[in-house]
Amino acid sequence: MVQLRSLGANTAVRRAQWRALGLSEADLEKPKIAVVNSSSELAICYAHLDGVAKIVKQAIREAGGVPFEVRTTAPSDFITGAARKGAYILAGRDLIPSDIEAQVEAAMLDGMVCLTSCDKTPPGHLMAAGRLNIPTLLVIGGYQASGMIGEDHIDIEELFSGQVADRFGKPMKHPLKEMIPQAIRGPGVCAGMATANTMHCVVEALGMSLPGSAPVRANSEKMLDAARRSGERIVQMVLEDLRPRRILTEGAFRNACAVVLAVSGSINALKHLQATAVEAGTKVDIYAIWRELGGQVPILSAPRPTGETRIEDFEDAGGCQAVLKQLGPLVDTSVLTCTGQTLAENLEGVTVADEEIIRPMDRAISPGPSIAVLQGSLAPESAIVKLGIRGSRLDRFDGPARVYDDSDLAMRDLAEGVIKPGEVLVLRGLGVKGGPAMGGGASATLFAIDAAGLADQIAFVTDSQLSGLCLKGLTVAEVAPEAAAGGPLAKVRDGDRIRIDALAGTLDLESPAEVLARPAPRNAYHTDAPGYLGIYRRDVQPMSSGAVLTDLER
């Protein structure tokens, strides 16, 4: 029988505090489980989680545990990304594990169930699981319903691109005022394989949520049943002493990378996986795994924005479990999962409901890589490009740079026709130290490139992140080191030629010696930031290290 760590802190005063909350003397001897709830009335992504928390807590009680609901910050790109061009978004991710630590670890609770929803909570919860290393399960919050205008499906992707197109005066099939009420018709995360649903699949592929959890319709009986079963299972995990670091192994990380590549998911998964690996105390190099697997893993399913498959159809075809099944020998089925069984045992009996939606390896939609990690004289550490389906966009480019330090100026020049076909639009100073930015400015710039009709005629290179909804033209993001850290991007001037070969994995300057010999602008790309943002900018590690706040060596 495992020794509950919470019992070691059951002082008289602590017992009095909990008895005053209504706990019985018998309750004080039971496993004590945190139900980490990021519910928020600010954003629809989290609006339904209070109801989910009730289900999880009741299941924990019935399984013989005592639940304690705790709250954390809840970053939501389209809401809390309003200030400073998204500066609070990625920074908000790193508040989550620290917030959890300051409550769950400080109280010496025995385990936790994290209600995970929008883009930054899944990695934040995974990072906390790795850091605290107490039995942990994640409950997937699900994706939002969307609507129709006539025969046309309308969701957040159409609305996001549509508002940029409207700014450029581009003719639209439907007015924005008609699209707004149809794009989001209920709680949950953005539809499509953007960052949230990608990270939901990552959670399951890592073995940190119950099988069959992702993706899932928000508030569906399937989702609520997973919440109930998670409440039951976490109590058993505590009694089994099944901790995250036994699950978050190199094999598990390789499986998650393979799933993201197979569904052409969000590029943001790389840094979130790297951050999780760091917090779990491993030496796993996600970027090295990506370079190795990229050419081996074909695209087996193409949910939007890569293809036209809707996320509902992907779920109905079998979701993450079906992808793992179809990947066959490319996944490590010996890894342990939160069920207490191996992935091989979890996949027994799994079938693929629609092999046109989630294809077998011998009928892949496209060869890989769907996402490539680049290196070269312009990106000595790394850069990332999402290619999607082979041939759907340029994968090579050679042209002169047109350099911008401000996304608004770049969009102005796009609207006025200043940027010409054949050029490489460089947008810098938006990395984690320079912004620190989520990519609101860079993402809008990319949609502006598309609205200007230049997506297939220019390349776009930036040290910023991008929204998981972004897939236009040849776009290289997260160039590292970033400009604010003195990376080569800071020294590029108008007219310098840049060469991109995504399939070869290179991002180079034509005359690197000449460019690199230039003095770097001193503090040119640092943006003054108050409070927490200032702390974040000072301490954050490079994007290629997961953009964690501390370089953990545990």
Side-chain angles (χ1 to χ4, degrees), residues 438-492:
M438 179 269 156
S443 299
T445 300
L446 179 52
F447 279 106
I449 290 170
D450 185 56
L454 293 173
D456 295 324
Q457 299 180 64
I458 70 172
F460 181 32
V461 174
T462 181
D463 54 6
S464 178
Q465 296 187 92
L466 291 172
S467 164
L469 294 170
C470 290
L471 184 55
K472 307 289 184 184
L474 178 55
T475 300
V476 181
E478 300 190 13
V479 174
E482 63 179 283
L489 202 65
K491 301 181 181 184
V492 175

Side-chain angles (χ1 to χ4, degrees), residues 73-422:
T73 189
S76 174
D77 293 20
F78 292 112
I79 302 297
T80 53
R84 295 175 175 263
K85 296 185 178 179
Y88 285 94
I89 294 299
L90 185 59
R93 181 200 72 177
D94 287 78
L95 275 176
I96 294 168
S98 294
D99 200 354
I100 292 171
E101 177 187 353
Q103 299 178 84
V104 178
E105 183 65 20
M108 289 185 67
L109 302 184
D110 300 304
M112 61 182 177
V113 176
C114 300
L115 310 187
T116 204
S117 194
C118 196
D119 299 16
K120 306 307 175 292
T121 50
H125 293 155
L126 289 171
M127 291 162 70
R131 184 188 299 182
L132 273 58
N133 197 32
I134 62 172
T136 302
L137 266 178
L138 273 63
V139 171
I140 304 302
Y143 57 86
Q144 59 202 207
S146 50
M148 305 285 290
I149 298 180
E151 298 297 316
D152 299 323
H153 173 244
I154 304 294
D155 64 19
I156 196 69
E157 182 183 349
E158 281 90 3
L159 188 61
F160 188 18
S161 59
Q163 69 181 9
V164 178
D166 183 66
R167 174 177 173 178
F168 274 68
K170 188 176 180 179
M172 297 168 59
K173 188 172 182 180
H174 304 289
L176 286 177
K177 65 180 181 180
E178 293 181 14
M179 296 171 68
I180 289 170
Q182 297 301 323
I184 302 173
R185 301 296 302 272
V189 303
C190 297
M193 194 57 74
T195 303
N197 277 313
T198 297
M199 289 308 300
H200 291 176
C201 289
V202 160
V203 169
E204 183 168 339
L206 286 170
M208 291 295 292
S209 67
L210 294 180
S213 292
V216 66
R217 294 165 173 85
N219 270 356
S220 64
E221 183 50 43
K222 179 182 174 183
M223 192 205 93
L224 300 179
D225 179 62
R228 280 189 288 270
R229 290 187 292 114
S230 295
E232 296 169 1
R233 176 61 190 151
I234 192 62
V235 176
Q236 291 305 309
M237 288 178 69
V238 169
L239 298 178
E240 295 165 10
D241 199 28
L242 179 50
R243 298 170 182 252
R245 292 192 182 188
R246 292 179 60 197
I247 297 170
L248 296 172
T249 61
E250 182 173 355
F253 283 109
R254 291 178 67 87
N255 291 346
C257 291
V259 166
V260 177
L261 284 162
V263 299
S264 187
S266 168
I267 66 171
N268 293 308
L270 279 82
K271 64 177 161 290
H272 294 327
L273 279 164
Q274 189 63 65
T276 302
V278 169
E279 292 280 9
T282 77
K283 300 296 183 182
V284 171
D285 183 341
I286 296 298
Y287 292 77
I289 291 174
W290 215 273
R291 293 184 187 98
E292 178 190 345
L293 288 181
Q296 299 179 40
V297 180
I299 297 178
L300 301 182
S301 189
R304 299 179 66 206
T306 295
E308 293 304 316
T309 296
R310 293 182 60 187
I311 198 69
E312 293 89 346
D313 298 326
F314 177 71
E315 178 193 348
D316 294 342
C320 183
Q321 289 289 287
V323 174
L324 287 165
K325 188 80 168 184
Q326 297 287 48
L327 282 167
L330 291 180
V331 297
D332 181 352
T333 58
S334 71
V335 297
L336 183 66
T337 72
C338 65
T339 64
Q341 297 181 308
T342 65
L343 179 59
E345 291 171 308
N346 289 348
L347 290 177
E348 287 179 7
V350 169
T351 59
V352 183
D354 189 335
E355 289 201 330
E356 289 305 309
I357 299 295
I358 303 175
R359 295 193 183 185
M361 292 279 288
D362 60 2
R363 285 200 305 110
I365 293 170
S366 173
S370 59
I371 301 169
V373 175
L374 313 185
Q375 280 184 305
S377 54
L378 191 53
E381 292 178 4
S382 62
I384 306 174
V385 58
K386 183 168 180 177
L387 294 167
I389 297 170
R390 185 76 61 84
S392 62
R393 55 192 44 78
L394 297 172
D395 53 50
R396 301 174 74 181
F397 203 91
D398 184 337
R402 175 81 67 165
V403 183
Y404 293 89
D405 300 322
D406 185 297
S407 59
D408 290 336
L409 294 179
M411 287 191 283
R412 180 202 66 189
D413 282 2
L414 282 165
E416 294 178 359
V418 174
I419 299 169
K420 304 297 183 184

